Amino acid sequence: MTSSALSPAARLRGLRPDWLHDTKVWRTEILAGLVVALALIPEAISFSVIAGVDPAIGLFASFTMAVTISVVGGRRAMISAATGAVALVIAPLNREHGFGYLVAAVILAGAFQIVLGALGIAKLMRFVPRSVMVGFVNSLAILIFTAQVPEMHDVPWPVYPLLAGGLALMVFFPKVTRVIPAPLVSIVILTVITVAAGIAVPTVGDKGELPSALPVPGLPDVPFTLDTLTTIAPYALAMALVGLMESLMTAKLVDDITDTHSSKTRESVGQGIANIVTGFLGGMGGCAMIGQTMINVKVSGARTRLSTFLAGSFLMVLCIVFGPVVSDIPMAALVAVMVMVSFATFDWHSIAPKTLKRMPAGEIAVMAVTVACVVATHNLAIGVVVGTVTAMVVFARRVAHLADVTAVVDPDGTQVVYSVTGELFFASSNDLVTRFAYATDPDKVVIDLTATHIWDASSVAALDAIETKYAQRGKTVEIIGLNQPSARIHDRLSGELTGGH
């Protein structure tokens, strides 16, 4: 049957995503959104404390970020909300200048992210090596776990059996059925037990008061002057960069887990839009949340934008409509979920003795440096940058020794041919000048570059230096075998790099 023969209703169904017709997917996405919403509440409140704002501000930010990014983001099923990294960046601004400046910085950060996204900053992700990605994932798992340690220290003794029970439920319940996410079952059962038995343990309500109404849009309470702009701009740029780094790394991680592709450029722009919306609604801004994303994607099995949208929506419904019930959820239940997430997130294969024996020492060093930096600074962006720079240094040292030079003198002794192999760039070309016998070579010298490639000005400068040293001794040099790109850069730069000295 042709499309023209289909009824209007049938054609409309054909335009809808496949998941709209699958009740199993609907159930998975709805339940995943509910689990993530419950896990977001204590996290958002904690990040509000870090930023020095009212708990409602963090909850509003989580709501607006999740709902907005579900529409404009480039990575399906990824959760964006208020995060610790963003809170750390903007906390000094709020402390020194007040909440109005914080909101203004969030809006400006969103504008920066849109510009950076349009300029193609997402393409820089291709330069993040796998060893940095593994270090990023492992350090994330460590941070998620260590963030739960305060909730397990100096607490009433019933917290420990509740925590153990929650972990046991999440390990064994999936063996019975996967229809309902095990984290949700664990949260419900532990809450019922503590409320019914009247067990006095820390609860979500102890973290802070939940909001009782939706956020109201408005402009930041700051003077719209150049002085204000210069005050907030450094914080806004830092927030934009940190937020994009975490969001793009998380998107790449979800790509690998789900074996699907996402638009990193759209995600970058989407993060900007979400932060602008959040700022105008009085939120503290945010970015992708890796822990909650792992709950959504890896633990609950969500794969669509619906789970992200519902996570934000359920968050506000839980706070406004079911605030008293949510306040009674024991923190032990949510800690158990996050501990399970940390163990599921960690790449245990990467530290297995068999893997470490086969892995090059440089790769292990890069992974270790990434983990150490993230754990030390509690900033995933810093760890990724330092890890990537370390990987580049390791790579440069490795390939610096790949350029080799062999000499063949003609039988009549009138000419010598030097064959250069490998890649010529700033690291490998530095030693190139020392590989020639200027004093003893014949009057005619041929340098054969057929088996190499010139990458930069440093290599051209090295070849110029070689020609100069031979010319000083009255000898001629002929360079042959240049491929087309190498010939272009050599012709353009040769003789122009020494300033005539």
Side-chain angles (χ1 to χ4, degrees):
M1 182 182 293
T2 63
S3 59
S4 59
L6 294 174
S7 66
R11 286 200 298 271
L12 182 60
R13 283 196 300 271
L15 295 174
R16 296 175 181 172
D18 292 338
W19 57 266
L20 281 176
H21 314 297
D22 192 333
T23 55
K24 182 180 179 181
V25 174
W26 265 93
R27 183 175 62 247
T28 299
E29 301 296 310
I30 291 172
L31 294 176
L34 181 57
V35 173
V36 172
L38 289 168
L40 276 173
I41 293 172
E43 295 274 297
I45 295 174
S46 298
F47 299 146
S48 299
V49 173
I50 292 173
V53 298
D54 188 81
I57 304 303
L59 291 164
F60 287 155
S62 296
F63 160 60
T64 54
M65 287 292 298
V67 170
T68 306
I69 207 69
S70 70
V71 178
V72 300
R75 172 65 259 176
R76 291 177 296 172
M78 190 166 78
I79 305 298
S80 289
T83 60
V86 168
L88 286 169
V89 170
I90 58 178
L93 179 64
N94 180 61
R95 186 168 55 249
E96 295 170 16
H97 298 278
F99 180 65
Y101 282 80
L102 182 151
V103 172
V106 169
I107 296 171
L108 183 59
F112 280 148
Q113 288 177 328
I114 292 175
V115 172
L116 291 170
L119 291 176
I121 193 174
K123 294 178 182 177
L124 295 177
M125 288 301 297
R126 71 182 68 178
F127 296 105
V128 178
R130 183 185 179 278
S131 52
V132 174
M133 191 68 190
V134 173
F136 170 81
V137 171
N138 289 346
S139 56
L140 159 69
I142 293 171
L143 287 184
I144 292 174
F145 181 81
T146 55
Q148 312 314 310
V149 172
E151 303 296 339
M152 297 182 276
H153 177 68
D154 195 22
V155 293
W157 70 264
V159 167
Y160 301 109
L162 287 172
L163 180 61
L167 291 172
L169 279 168
M170 284 183 286
V171 170
F172 295 109
F173 187 79
K175 300 180 185 298
V176 178
T177 179
R178 292 183 178 271
V179 173
I180 304 174
L184 180 59
V185 174
S186 175
I187 291 170
V188 171
I189 290 178
L190 294 188
T191 303
V192 170
I193 290 173
T194 55
V195 172
I199 301 173
V201 292
T203 63
V204 170
D206 296 331
K207 287 291 182 180
E209 188 177 349
L210 302 181
S212 57
L214 290 172
V216 179
L219 293 174
D221 184 18
V222 295
F224 292 91
T225 63
L226 183 60
D227 184 58
T228 299
L229 181 62
T230 56
T231 299
I232 66 173
Y235 296 95
L237 182 59
M239 175 184 162
L241 293 173
V242 168
L244 284 181
M245 178 72 75
E246 292 211 23
S247 299
L248 294 175
M249 290 294 290
T250 306
K252 190 173 187 298
L253 179 60
V254 177
D255 288 353
D256 294 340
I257 292 172
T258 62
D259 196 25
T260 56
H261 176 71
S262 62
S263 171
K264 306 301 186 299
T265 298
R266 178 176 173 180
E267 182 61 36
S268 301
V269 174
Q271 287 290 329
I273 295 171
N275 272 306
I276 290 174
V277 171
T278 298
F280 281 118
L281 286 170
M284 57 180 273
C287 62
M289 285 198 80
I290 309 172
Q292 272 63 23
T293 297
M294 290 300 100
I295 293 175
N296 197 46
V297 174
K298 203 165 186 177
V299 178
S300 301
R303 292 294 182 270
T304 76
R305 297 178 185 275
L306 180 62
S307 58
T308 306
F309 177 84
L310 290 177
S313 302
F314 283 152
L315 175 63
M316 278 295 99
V317 172
L318 288 169
C319 291
I320 296 172
V321 180
F322 300 101
V325 176
V326 173
S327 295
D328 288 334
I329 295 175
M331 283 302 299
L334 298 176
V335 169
V337 172
M338 298 309 294
V339 169
M340 184 60 69
V341 168
S342 70
F343 275 87
T345 302
F346 197 92
D347 186 350
W348 297 101
H349 176 73
S350 67
I351 60 170
K354 186 176 180 181
T355 304
L356 294 176
K357 283 182 181 179
R358 294 181 177 180
M359 192 74 67
E363 301 285 318
I364 297 173
V366 169
M367 181 177 70
V369 166
T370 303
V371 172
C373 285
V374 172
V375 173
T377 64
H378 283 227
N379 192 317
L380 292 161
I382 291 176
V384 170
V385 171
V386 173
T388 302
V389 171
T390 304
M392 290 179 178
V393 172
V394 170
F395 174 76
R397 286 177 57 86
R398 185 182 303 161
V399 300
H401 307 291
L402 295 182
D404 195 22
V405 180
T406 56
V408 178
V409 181
D410 282 358
D412 58 7
T414 59
Q415 174 179 291
V416 61
V417 178
Y418 284 94
S419 297
V420 182
T421 58
E423 305 299 312
L424 290 182
F425 67 112
F426 63 90
S428 61
S429 61
N430 283 336
D431 298 329
L432 190 65
V433 179
T434 65
R435 306 294 295 275
F436 295 82
Y438 303 101
T440 59
D441 276 343
D443 290 342
K444 182 171 177 56
V445 179
V446 177
I447 302 177
D448 186 358
L449 301 180
T450 303
T452 189
H453 184 97
I454 296 175
W455 288 103
D456 59 8
S458 297
S459 303
V460 177
L463 292 172
D464 284 354
I466 293 168
E467 290 188 82
T468 300
K469 287 181 178 292
Y470 276 116
Q472 290 170 347
R473 292 167 174 79
K475 300 174 183 181
T476 60
V477 176
E478 180 185 4
I479 296 177
I480 64 172
L482 288 169
N483 58 35
Q484 194 171 3
S486 298
R488 278 200 299 268
I489 190 172
H490 184 266
D491 293 344
R492 186 169 68 250
L493 298 178
S494 183
E496 302 293 333
L497 299 172
T498 61
H501 299 291

